[in-house]
Protein backbone atom coordinates (compact mmCIF):
# COMPACT_ATOMS: atom_id res chain seq x y z
CA UNK A 1 0.00 0.00 0.00
CA UNK A 2 2.83 2.36 0.83
CA UNK A 3 3.96 2.22 -2.79
CA UNK A 4 0.54 2.15 -4.39
CA UNK A 5 0.26 4.31 -7.49
CA UNK A 6 -2.91 6.22 -8.41
CA UNK A 7 -3.61 3.56 -11.07
CA UNK A 8 -3.24 0.71 -8.59
CA UNK A 9 -5.56 2.46 -6.17
CA UNK A 10 -8.17 3.00 -8.89
CA UNK A 11 -7.87 -0.69 -9.85
CA UNK A 12 -8.49 -1.61 -6.21
CA UNK A 13 -11.44 0.78 -6.01
CA UNK A 14 -13.01 -0.61 -9.17
CA UNK A 15 -12.92 -4.20 -7.85
CA UNK A 16 -14.64 -3.33 -4.57
CA UNK A 17 -18.29 -3.59 -3.64
CA UNK A 18 -20.36 -1.06 -1.74
CA UNK A 19 -20.05 -1.64 2.00
CA UNK A 20 -23.19 -2.46 3.97
CA UNK A 21 -23.61 -2.13 7.72
CA UNK A 22 -25.71 -3.77 10.43
CA UNK A 23 -28.97 -2.13 11.37
CA UNK A 24 -30.83 -4.12 14.02
CA UNK A 25 -30.61 -7.70 12.83
CA UNK A 26 -30.29 -6.73 9.21
CA UNK A 27 -27.41 -5.91 6.94
CA UNK A 28 -28.37 -2.90 4.86
CA UNK A 29 -26.92 -0.57 2.21
CA UNK A 30 -27.63 3.11 2.67
CA UNK A 31 -25.13 5.55 1.26
CA UNK A 32 -26.49 8.41 3.34
CA UNK A 33 -25.23 6.41 6.36
CA UNK A 34 -22.21 4.59 5.08
CA UNK A 35 -20.56 5.49 1.81
CA UNK A 36 -17.52 3.27 1.43
CA UNK A 37 -16.22 0.27 -0.46
CA UNK A 38 -15.13 -3.05 0.97
CA UNK A 39 -13.53 -6.37 0.22
CA UNK A 40 -14.44 -9.52 2.13
CA UNK A 41 -11.67 -11.70 3.59
CA UNK A 42 -11.96 -14.16 0.71
CA UNK A 43 -11.30 -11.36 -1.81
CA UNK A 44 -7.91 -10.05 -0.72
CA UNK A 45 -4.56 -10.99 0.71
CA UNK A 46 -2.36 -8.78 2.83
CA UNK A 47 1.29 -9.16 3.77
CA UNK A 48 0.48 -7.56 7.12
CA UNK A 49 1.11 -10.11 9.87
CA UNK A 50 -0.39 -8.64 12.99
CA UNK A 51 1.53 -11.08 15.18
CA UNK A 52 4.79 -9.65 13.83
CA UNK A 53 3.93 -6.15 15.04
CA UNK A 54 3.66 -4.62 18.47
CA UNK A 55 -0.10 -4.15 18.06
CA UNK A 56 -1.28 -7.28 19.96
CA UNK A 57 1.07 -6.52 22.87
CA UNK A 58 0.00 -2.92 23.01
CA UNK A 59 -3.69 -3.80 23.01
CA UNK A 60 -3.15 -6.48 25.65
CA UNK A 61 -1.19 -4.05 27.81
CA UNK A 62 -3.19 -0.85 27.38
CA UNK A 63 -6.73 -2.02 26.78
CA UNK A 64 -7.01 -5.37 28.55
CA UNK A 65 -4.41 -5.69 31.32
CA UNK A 66 -5.24 -2.26 32.77
CA UNK A 67 -8.28 -3.86 34.35
CA UNK A 68 -7.65 -6.91 36.53
CA UNK A 69 -11.14 -8.25 35.80
CA UNK A 70 -10.34 -8.37 32.12
CA UNK A 71 -6.85 -9.80 32.21
CA UNK A 72 -7.21 -12.58 29.69
CA UNK A 73 -5.65 -13.74 26.49
CA UNK A 74 -7.08 -12.04 23.42
CA UNK A 75 -7.47 -13.14 19.82
CA UNK A 76 -7.75 -11.12 16.62
CA UNK A 77 -9.90 -12.05 13.70
CA UNK A 78 -9.45 -10.08 10.45
CA UNK A 79 -12.80 -8.79 9.28
CA UNK A 80 -12.80 -6.53 6.22
CA UNK A 81 -10.77 -4.26 4.00
CA UNK A 82 -12.49 -0.87 3.76
CA UNK A 83 -11.78 1.72 1.10
CA UNK A 84 -12.93 5.30 1.49
CA UNK A 85 -12.32 7.35 -1.60
CA UNK A 86 -13.13 11.04 -1.95
CA UNK A 87 -16.49 11.82 -0.33
CA UNK A 88 -16.75 8.47 1.49
CA UNK A 89 -17.72 8.35 5.18
CA UNK A 90 -19.36 6.18 7.84
CA UNK A 91 -21.84 7.82 10.25
CA UNK A 92 -21.75 7.14 14.04
CA UNK A 93 -22.38 3.52 14.97
CA UNK A 94 -21.32 0.74 17.31
CA UNK A 95 -19.91 -2.45 15.83
CA UNK A 96 -22.21 -5.44 15.83
CA UNK A 97 -20.76 -8.13 18.13
CA UNK A 98 -20.14 -11.28 16.10
CA UNK A 99 -20.00 -13.57 19.13
CA UNK A 100 -20.52 -13.14 22.86
CA UNK A 101 -16.79 -13.08 23.65
CA UNK A 102 -16.13 -10.24 21.20
CA UNK A 103 -15.07 -7.22 23.25
CA UNK A 104 -13.83 -4.68 20.74
CA UNK A 105 -12.54 -3.71 17.32
CA UNK A 106 -9.20 -2.86 15.82
CA UNK A 107 -8.83 -0.55 12.83
CA UNK A 108 -5.48 -0.56 11.03
CA UNK A 109 -4.98 2.38 8.66
CA UNK A 110 -2.58 1.89 5.73
CA UNK A 111 -0.29 4.69 4.57
CA UNK A 112 -2.15 5.76 1.45
CA UNK A 113 -2.21 9.49 0.76
CA UNK A 114 -5.46 11.07 1.96
CA UNK A 115 -6.99 14.06 3.67
CA UNK A 116 -9.98 13.97 6.02
CA UNK A 117 -11.40 10.62 7.14
CA UNK A 118 -10.79 11.29 10.84
CA UNK A 119 -12.20 8.62 13.11
CA UNK A 120 -14.24 10.22 15.91
CA UNK A 121 -14.87 7.98 18.93
CA UNK A 122 -17.12 8.56 21.93
CA UNK A 123 -18.28 6.55 24.93
CA UNK A 124 -20.71 9.08 26.42
CA UNK A 125 -18.09 10.42 28.84
CA UNK A 126 -15.07 10.99 26.64
CA UNK A 127 -14.43 11.53 23.01
CA UNK A 128 -11.35 10.98 20.91
CA UNK A 129 -10.26 11.99 17.43
CA UNK A 130 -7.96 9.67 15.57
CA UNK A 131 -6.47 11.52 12.63
CA UNK A 132 -4.60 8.84 10.72
CA UNK A 133 -3.85 11.20 7.82
CA UNK A 134 -1.66 13.26 10.19
CA UNK A 135 -0.30 10.26 12.06
CA UNK A 136 0.95 8.75 8.81
CA UNK A 137 2.41 11.83 7.23
CA UNK A 138 5.99 10.74 7.86
CA UNK A 139 5.44 7.37 6.25
CA UNK A 140 7.48 6.88 3.09
CA UNK A 141 7.59 4.02 0.60
CA UNK A 142 11.01 3.05 1.97
CA UNK A 143 9.94 3.34 5.61
CA UNK A 144 6.24 2.57 5.64
CA UNK A 145 4.22 3.05 8.79
CA UNK A 146 0.73 2.00 9.75
CA UNK A 147 -1.57 3.54 12.30
CA UNK A 148 -4.05 1.72 14.47
CA UNK A 149 -6.83 2.35 16.90
CA UNK A 150 -8.49 -0.27 19.10
CA UNK A 151 -11.62 0.28 21.14
CA UNK A 152 -14.24 -1.54 23.18
CA UNK A 153 -17.53 -2.52 21.59
CA UNK A 154 -19.53 0.07 23.51
CA UNK A 155 -17.60 2.93 21.89
CA UNK A 156 -19.54 4.79 19.20
CA UNK A 157 -17.39 5.76 16.23
CA UNK A 158 -17.69 7.52 12.92
CA UNK A 159 -15.48 8.15 9.90
CA UNK A 160 -15.68 11.77 8.70
CA UNK A 161 -15.75 12.34 4.94
CA UNK A 162 -12.49 11.81 3.08
CA UNK A 163 -11.77 15.05 1.25
CA UNK A 164 -9.03 13.77 -1.07
CA UNK A 165 -7.09 10.61 -1.83
CA UNK A 166 -8.07 7.20 -0.52
CA UNK A 167 -8.18 5.98 3.07
CA UNK A 168 -7.75 2.22 3.34
CA UNK A 169 -8.33 0.29 6.55
CA UNK A 170 -8.27 -3.29 7.68
CA UNK A 171 -10.67 -4.05 10.51
CA UNK A 172 -10.33 -6.87 13.03
CA UNK A 173 -12.76 -8.19 15.61
CA UNK A 174 -11.19 -8.60 19.05
CA UNK A 175 -12.14 -11.60 21.16
CA UNK A 176 -11.35 -12.93 24.59
CA UNK A 177 -10.10 -16.49 24.36
CA UNK A 178 -12.58 -17.85 26.87
CA UNK A 179 -16.31 -17.26 26.64
CA UNK A 180 -16.97 -17.31 30.38
CA UNK A 181 -17.32 -13.58 31.09
CA UNK A 182 -20.20 -11.53 29.83
CA UNK A 183 -18.21 -8.57 28.57
CA UNK A 184 -21.23 -6.75 27.22
CA UNK A 185 -22.27 -5.99 30.79
CA UNK A 186 -19.13 -3.97 31.45
CA UNK A 187 -19.34 -0.32 30.45
CA UNK A 188 -17.23 1.34 33.12
CA UNK A 189 -13.73 0.84 31.78
CA UNK A 190 -11.50 3.87 32.13
CA UNK A 191 -9.46 3.51 29.01
CA UNK A 192 -11.56 2.55 26.07
CA UNK A 193 -9.44 3.60 23.17
CA UNK A 194 -5.87 2.86 22.34
CA UNK A 195 -4.35 4.55 19.32
CA UNK A 196 -0.79 4.40 18.16
CA UNK A 197 1.40 4.65 15.16
CA UNK A 198 3.52 1.66 14.35
CA UNK A 199 6.75 2.56 12.67
CA UNK A 200 8.74 0.55 10.22
CA UNK A 201 6.49 -2.36 9.52
O1 LIG B 1 -12.58 2.14 8.56
C1 LIG B 1 -12.70 2.63 9.69
O2 LIG B 1 -11.96 3.50 10.13
C2 LIG B 1 -13.78 2.17 10.60
C3 LIG B 1 -14.63 1.10 10.00
C4 LIG B 1 -15.76 0.75 10.89
O3 LIG B 1 -16.10 1.45 11.81
C5 LIG B 1 -16.47 -0.52 10.67
O4 LIG B 1 -16.18 -1.20 9.68
O5 LIG B 1 -17.34 -0.85 11.48
FE1 LIG C 1 -17.33 0.35 13.08
Amino acid sequence: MANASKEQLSDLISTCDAAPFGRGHQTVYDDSYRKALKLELSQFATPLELAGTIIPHQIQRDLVDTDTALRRQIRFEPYKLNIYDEGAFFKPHKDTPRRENMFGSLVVVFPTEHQGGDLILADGKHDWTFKASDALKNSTPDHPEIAFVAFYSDVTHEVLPVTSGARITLTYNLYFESTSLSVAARTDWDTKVNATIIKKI
Side-chain angles (χ1 to χ4, degrees):
M1 292 291 186
N3 293 301
S5 65
K6 281 208 158 54
E7 290 70 34
Q8 286 170 321
L9 287 175
S10 357
D11 280 353
L12 177 63
I13 288 167
S14 63
T15 45
C16 290
D17 307 315
F21 59 95
R23 184 180 274 160
H25 294 295
Q26 289 177 318
T27 298
V28 297
Y29 294 87
D30 175 351
D31 71 6
S32 66
Y33 198 82
R34 179 178 198 181
K35 185 172 180 302
L37 300 165
K38 59 105 174 112
L39 286 181
E40 301 288 339
L41 278 190
S42 58
Q43 297 176 296
F44 69 91
T46 170
L48 178 63
E49 271 293 343
L50 212 53
T53 73
I54 201 176
I55 295 176
H57 307 280
Q58 221 153 321
I59 293 178
Q60 183 84 42
R61 189 190 68 198
D62 298 339
L63 214 54
V64 179
D65 289 351
T66 47
D67 186 323
T68 43
L70 290 176
R71 239 171 244 173
R72 275 180 305 155
Q73 219 31 56
I74 57 174
R75 193 164 49 77
F76 297 76
E77 211 168 81
Y79 186 52
K80 269 175 198 167
L81 189 76
N82 306 290
I83 295 99
Y84 303 78
D85 57 354
E86 206 176 304
F89 58 85
F90 194 174
K91 291 264 167 86
H93 66 281
K94 287 182 188 172
D95 291 343
T96 311
R98 302 286 144 186
R99 280 196 290 284
E100 71 169 43
N101 56 329
M102 177 171 159
F103 71 94
S105 301
L106 164 67
V107 179
V108 171
V109 188
F110 289 107
T112 52
E113 185 80 29
H114 66 278
Q115 296 294 322
D118 296 0
L119 189 63
I120 311 291
L121 308 111
D123 71 351
K125 276 193 268 174
H126 307 97
D127 46 58
W128 300 266
T129 299
F130 181 60
K131 203 174 170 59
S133 55
D134 267 7
L136 291 169
K137 65 173 183 278
N138 295 325
S139 176
T140 62
D142 288 342
H143 299 284
E145 298 178 4
I146 53 174
F148 80 88
V149 57
F151 46 90
Y152 289 114
S153 299
D154 64 338
V155 173
T156 302
H157 51 284
E158 98 174 272
V159 181
L160 297 184
V162 167
T163 52
S164 71
R167 174 182 184 276
I168 302 183
T169 65
L170 183 55
T171 45
Y172 293 76
N173 295 331
L174 306 181
Y175 297 96
F176 286 124
E177 280 290 11
S178 95
T179 54
S180 57
L181 183 81
S182 170
V183 288
R186 291 292 312 267
T187 53
D188 56 341
W189 291 304
D190 283 343
T191 312
K192 302 209 179 185
V193 173
N194 175 223
T196 315
I197 322 308
I198 304 298
K199 306 223 178 217
K200 300 197 175 55
I201 47 166

